[in-house]
Amino acid sequence: MTQHEASVASVALLDLVRDISVRAAEFALEARRAGVSVAATKSTPTDIVTAVDRDTETLIRSIILESRPADGIIGEEDVAHVGTSGIDWVVDPIDGTVNFLYGIPAWAVSIAVVEGAAAGDVGGTTLAGVVVNPVTGELFEASAGGGARLAGRELAVNADVPLGSALVGTGFGYAAERRREQAAVLLELMPHIRDIRRGGSAALDLCSLACGRLDAYYERGLNAWDHAAGALIAREAGARVGGPGGGRENAELLVAAAPGLYEELAAALRAAGMDA
């Protein structure tokens, strides 16, 4: 697909992504108001899933397949649906499930559409992405080459912020050993930045970067559904988003910031023992 073709496809898909995201957000919010409890755990006892996660993803999948039956779906709560169109939907029905469980108003529905995706970390070109916070009603959206917006307002990352003045977002894994490693990196990084924020939703953290509520963001251990939509929104707002060794973001690492700050943060992370 050429760049022009990708741009045209992105605009056409964005309306559908937005509609599905809003419907899913309304469904999840109503379910949260009715009460929620842990349905199961995943990688560790602290890595939880609720019935609402599963039900919301089921709703999203059903609408996608009704609208575009040839597309594939890569979601957090169910096995991948293999499509034939070359287009895959990357779905996180509730990003920030612990926040959702505790009633903290920082969780989101995150949906991205990717052309040429692969398994695992997902490759290809992200054509469109939407992140909705159902509690606040904020809807962040972007299309490839079409910019990023919040409530119709064009977004732009904070520019010309030096590392020492940067408010940096991050998150932590569920496994005890990974948390220990992440804490050690943070201990080294803290003297070199303004402060740290841990919001609990990678999708919303990337959107916070896009709209200037954060200056930078990094995290290890993210899955594609955690960041696919948010990374597109951050990129379209002017951020550089990358991973280990300056390559593409993946489960090992995601770093995002305005280009100049990106280089400073990556260097600081390397000095702290993280391959950025």
Side-chain angles (χ1 to χ4, degrees):
M1 184 179 290
T2 67
Q3 185 173 357
H4 174 70
E5 289 171 335
S7 179
V8 171
S10 301
V11 173
L13 283 166
L14 184 57
D15 286 344
L16 181 58
V17 181
R18 186 190 307 113
D19 178 65
I20 295 173
S21 300
V22 168
R23 290 171 65 180
E26 291 171 348
F27 175 86
L29 185 59
E30 283 302 310
R32 180 64 186 81
R33 288 169 176 162
V36 64
S37 60
V38 175
T41 59
K42 294 185 281 189
S43 61
T44 74
T46 55
D47 186 6
I48 63 169
V49 61
T50 71
V52 183
D53 288 85
R54 294 171 174 170
D55 291 346
T56 304
E57 184 165 317
T58 298
L59 172 67
I60 293 169
R61 284 173 177 256
S62 69
I63 302 172
I64 293 169
L65 293 176
E66 180 181 341
S67 304
R68 296 179 58 92
D71 291 357
I73 303 172
I74 301 167
E76 180 174 14
E77 308 303 341
D78 205 347
V79 296
H81 170 78
V82 179
T84 58
S85 66
I87 298 293
D88 289 287
W89 295 65
V90 185
V91 175
D92 195 340
I94 298 177
D95 186 58
T97 303
V98 173
N99 287 349
F100 176 80
L101 178 68
Y102 278 81
I104 299 169
W107 53 276
V109 174
S110 174
I111 304 177
V113 182
V114 181
E115 188 270 333
D121 294 317
V122 178
T125 301
T126 307
L127 302 176
V130 172
V131 175
V132 183
N133 181 330
V135 181
T136 65
E138 289 187 319
L139 186 151
F140 299 86
E141 64 180 23
S143 59
R149 291 167 297 281
L150 167 61
R153 176 174 64 89
E154 293 290 331
L155 300 181
V157 297
N158 295 334
D160 302 321
V161 178
L163 184 65
S165 299
L167 184 62
V168 180
T170 193
F172 305 102
Y174 294 105
E177 185 56 37
R178 171 153 287 182
R179 288 174 184 248
R180 188 175 294 111
E181 294 170 356
Q182 290 169 323
V185 169
L186 186 58
L187 187 65
E188 293 295 320
L189 182 64
M190 280 293 289
H192 304 289
I193 62 176
R194 181 191 298 276
D195 206 348
I196 201 77
R197 291 292 181 270
R198 194 274 198 264
S201 164
L204 288 178
D205 283 343
L206 285 162
C207 291
S208 290
L209 169 64
C211 71
R213 296 171 188 167
L214 291 173
D215 298 307
Y217 172 74
Y218 78 94
E219 187 166 350
R220 287 194 65 192
L222 295 175
N223 294 296
W225 46 79
D226 297 314
H227 63 74
L232 175 66
I233 292 165
R235 279 191 173 101
E236 289 294 324
R240 177 180 171 185
V241 183
R248 190 181 179 99
E249 67 274 14
N250 59 29
E252 284 301 308
L253 182 64
L254 182 150
V255 180
L261 177 56
Y262 182 103
E263 294 293 349
E264 283 194 87
L265 177 58
L269 291 171
R270 283 193 296 271
M274 182 177 284
D275 178 17

